[in-house]
Amino acid sequence: MQPIRSISSSPGGQAVMERQQVRAPYPTGRVIVLNDDHNTFQHVVDVLVRHIPGMNSDRAWELAHQIDSQGSAVVWSGPLEQAELYHQLLAGEGLTMAPVERG
């Protein structure tokens, strides 16, 4: 947080320095898997279930089909540091990844 200083006048005419805090939103990121010609549906599903919190097999299959039919799918979004971790884990398992999308 960056402090911001502003000056206002008090009723007696004296300048008073005020300090305010400005909160910047925590950066977020989106993890996007791209379609390729070498990963099987089963491998994509297994990797997503293994590394993405809360991912179940049914949702992973939906995402695998979306990746195949649309060319990509957002498989996770949230705090940027976590997005970078999940991106690295999925890439390490051989999935084809788009760069982490900040947002």
Side-chain angles (χ1 to χ4, degrees):
M1 289 185 294
Q2 290 288 335
I4 291 185
R5 299 179 196 276
S6 63
I7 300 174
S8 63
S9 296
S10 67
Q14 294 179 342
V16 176
M17 189 74 108
E18 296 176 5
R19 198 170 190 187
Q20 300 172 343
Q21 296 291 331
V22 175
R23 293 183 186 259
Y26 191 83
T28 59
R30 297 181 342 145
V31 179
I32 301 169
V33 177
L34 302 175
N35 190 29
D36 59 38
D37 293 330
H38 58 272
N39 283 300
T40 65
F41 278 77
Q42 188 64 58
H43 179 67
V44 171
V45 168
D46 291 344
V47 170
L48 292 178
V49 169
R50 184 167 39 255
H51 293 297
I52 302 297
M55 182 67 64
N56 63 43
S57 184
D58 289 340
R59 179 67 180 138
W61 277 102
E62 289 173 10
L63 289 167
H65 284 285
Q66 181 181 342
I67 293 164
D68 183 57
S69 66
Q70 297 179 18
S72 67
V74 175
V75 298
W76 191 87
S77 61
L80 183 59
E81 286 182 21
Q82 285 178 268
E84 290 170 343
L85 171 64
Y86 300 142
H87 181 276
Q88 183 178 19
L89 292 170
L90 300 182
E93 294 271 4
L95 299 190
T96 303
M97 306 297 298
V100 173
E101 191 174 278
R102 291 175 176 248

